[in-house]
Amino acid sequence: MSDPLDERDIAGAPLAVVAGAAGPYLASLRDRPVHDRTKDALLDELDGPLPVRGDGAVAAVERLVRIGTEAATHSSGPRFFHFVVGGSTPAAMAGDWAASLLDQAAGLWLTSPLAARAETAVLRWLKELFGLPASSGGVLTPSATLAHVTGLACARQWWAGEHGVDAASQGLAGLPAMPVFSSGLVHVSTRKALQILGCGRDTLRTFARDDAGRVDLAAMDAALAEAGGRAVVVANLGEVNTGDSDPVADLADLAERHGAWLHVDGAFGLFAALSPRTAHLARGVERADSVTADGHKWLNVPYESGFSFVRDPGALGRAFGAWGAAYLPDADDERVNYNMLGPESSRRARALPIWATLRAYGRDGYREMVERHLDVAAHLGGLVEAAPDLELLAPVQLCIVCFRYRPDGVPEERLDDLNARLGEALLADGRVYAGTSTYRGMTVFRPAPLNWRTTNADVERLVDVLRELGARLTA
């Protein structure tokens, strides 16, 4: 096979290959292991020299689907707990296929009014879902990290303006380091965003009153006073080891009193706003200057999906627009051009899977799913507390359960090594997936059940497998 033009009359055939495999594959996720290392040898078939003459679309896609359905890490299934990763709801997955089918250039209204209108609609729906001000600006991004880049770029533009400098056009040369303050709950993606923005990942200062990272409000208050209010405060809603959160309303009070910029990392914790049981954790988010979250976590849409909201909608254009290219719309264009409101120029129509899933399940459907996951996490916490060889290390607040394996007879100084080896054994086993992290100096498990398929039976399986493998290691 040579020129793809030769396949224009059968362009739908390779799509039919994927569609034909989808039903059996999705049905199998209920029972198959998350990862089967005996299938890893199939990955060698992905490699090799570039073909001189291609196999044709159908043969190529058949090979890809055959390898993928066997050798992939089946993170779309209900027992992938290793990171804070959702799945793809049926509607979101179909919406993502539609995005690929239509292949819109989603940066400009001119190239795709469809993509622009869909993005505008879903941003409005998301603001309603989370209780954010309707007047806020927003843009979809590939991830929470790029959402941080978006919000913090607006913060940087504001901060430089406080010093009489337009950072978008003049940069940061000659300015002091931008003060960025947070608690010990801050995520590495915030630091990475500061690194990308040229502010420096290690310039961020943390104010923690204990070894769990909880914020020291008095110390931060003093630092804000010393900075004259020209600083950025990062509030963290949902920490990745325990689900713990900063007191957002208190940090909003601090930022307001000092005239600082408040940025909220709500990667998955922003979804606490959906349930009356957890909405208190998100109280104060509506007062933030910028808010970020992930779609491919608790929204359960495909990778890549994030969103950034900024209270002053004009801040996005000041940070990312006005390129001065003659072939592009200028700042006076009344139609929304999302590539001028965020870090990407070329953009896919990532609003379509979000539109499909929100249209399909609505506010009530997402509230029910979030509350089911809260119940599942609480059930897992109860199982851990009831097991004689497991130790719960933090209260279960959202969708993360922090614990470790602690059998009788193993001294404290050996527990970190034992849990690290158990984490490796669990991933090698593959029936469920949950790796380890470090919390308060201890090696811990921190499974996050937030896939739309996950039920109590799946976390019960996790506990059973962990205890089974742990008993082997300590035999």
Side-chain angles (χ1 to χ4, degrees):
M1 183 61 61
S2 53
D3 193 333
L5 182 64
D6 296 338
E7 294 195 326
R8 60 185 171 184
D9 295 330
I10 58 166
L15 298 177
V17 172
V18 181
Y25 175 71
L26 294 173
S28 74
L29 292 174
R30 185 182 301 111
D31 301 312
R32 70 162 67 209
V34 178
H35 186 72
D36 184 351
R37 292 193 177 183
T38 67
K39 306 293 186 182
D40 284 356
L42 288 170
L43 300 176
D44 292 340
E45 295 187 45
L46 295 172
D47 211 343
L50 173 68
V52 176
R53 288 186 60 82
D55 299 334
V58 169
V61 173
E62 284 177 342
R63 173 182 285 218
L64 179 61
V65 167
R66 174 177 55 80
I67 297 168
T69 53
E70 292 298 319
T73 302
H74 306 297
S75 49
S76 291
R79 290 180 297 281
F80 185 93
F81 306 129
H82 192 5
F83 298 99
V84 187
V85 174
S88 297
T89 67
M93 187 178 299
D96 198 56
W97 286 18
S100 293
L101 173 68
L102 300 173
D103 192 25
Q104 299 292 281
L108 300 172
W109 177 284
L110 176 65
T111 53
S112 181
L114 166 70
R117 285 293 298 272
E119 186 156 350
T120 300
V122 301
L123 288 167
R124 185 176 70 252
W125 290 352
L126 290 167
K127 286 184 282 188
E128 292 176 14
L129 194 67
F130 300 132
L132 298 175
S135 58
S136 296
V139 66
L140 299 180
T141 67
S143 64
T145 301
L146 267 293
H148 284 316
V149 168
T150 304
L152 291 172
C154 293
R156 181 185 64 176
Q157 188 74 8
W158 161 81
W159 173 82
E162 292 289 296
H163 290 78
V165 173
D166 181 350
S169 65
Q170 298 171 264
L172 300 175
L175 292 175
M178 181 175 76
V180 184
F181 304 149
S182 189
S183 72
L185 305 183
V186 67
H187 190 257
V188 292
S189 60
T190 299
R191 294 185 184 275
K192 184 174 182 178
L194 292 170
Q195 174 182 337
I196 293 169
L197 289 167
C199 298
R201 66 173 181 263
D202 294 332
T203 61
L204 184 145
R205 293 174 59 191
T206 58
F207 299 84
R209 69 177 190 271
D210 57 27
D211 62 354
R214 297 181 182 92
V215 66
D216 185 333
L217 289 170
M220 188 179 292
D221 190 12
L224 283 167
E226 184 180 349
R230 295 191 294 190
V232 177
V233 175
V234 178
N236 306 283
L237 184 52
E239 190 265 344
V240 293
N241 286 319
T242 66
D244 200 1
S245 296
D246 287 324
V248 180
D250 290 341
L251 290 175
D253 288 342
L254 271 186
E256 187 174 308
R257 184 161 67 249
H258 289 281
W261 182 285
L262 177 63
H263 175 79
V264 175
D265 175 2
F268 65 93
L270 190 56
F271 287 80
L274 275 61
S275 170
R277 292 151 53 181
T278 53
H280 64 282
L281 299 173
R283 194 167 298 125
V285 169
E286 72 283 355
R287 298 164 59 192
D289 295 286
S290 52
V291 180
T292 66
D294 252 330
H296 46 246
K297 289 184 170 62
W298 224 335
L299 192 65
N300 276 252
V301 300
Y303 278 82
E304 307 153 334
S305 180
F307 18 91
S308 183
F309 301 100
V310 180
R311 183 164 56 177
D312 174 9
L316 291 164
R318 290 192 293 272
F320 295 103
W323 301 350
Y327 66 93
L328 292 173
D330 58 29
D332 295 329
D333 188 350
E334 296 179 357
R335 298 170 298 184
V336 63
N337 296 295
Y338 282 104
N339 67 356
M340 298 186 180
L341 303 181
E344 296 173 281
S345 299
S346 299
R347 310 168 77 247
R348 78 189 302 263
R350 64 173 56 90
L352 300 189
I354 302 175
W355 186 95
T357 198
L358 291 176
R359 189 74 194 182
Y361 311 114
R363 184 196 304 271
D364 285 351
Y366 270 93
R367 176 185 52 77
E368 291 171 13
M369 183 184 71
V370 165
E371 293 190 333
R372 172 165 54 83
H373 289 149
L374 295 174
D375 290 339
V376 169
H379 180 62
L380 174 55
L383 294 173
V384 169
E385 289 190 296
D389 49 1
L390 298 177
E391 180 185 16
L392 189 68
L393 296 172
V396 179
Q397 301 181 64
L398 282 172
C399 57
I400 295 179
V401 183
C402 183
F403 65 94
R404 64 177 175 173
Y405 184 58
R406 188 173 188 172
D408 288 339
V410 178
E412 179 71 30
E413 62 269 18
R414 289 183 51 202
L415 286 175
D416 285 345
D417 177 69
L418 174 59
N419 278 272
R421 289 189 293 117
L422 180 55
E424 293 172 359
L426 184 68
L427 297 179
D429 178 86
R431 283 175 287 174
V432 291
Y433 241 49
T436 58
S437 182
T438 300
Y439 173 66
R440 300 177 67 186
M442 297 174 285
T443 300
V444 301
F445 291 90
R446 45 94 190 236
L450 47 66
N451 184 291
W452 66 272
R453 296 172 177 267
T454 300
T455 65
N456 283 351
D458 298 302
V459 295
E460 290 166 3
R461 183 80 176 277
L462 169 64
V463 170
D464 290 344
V465 173
L466 263 176
R467 298 184 68 197
E468 171 196 326
L469 297 175
R472 291 183 198 169
L473 285 176
T474 56

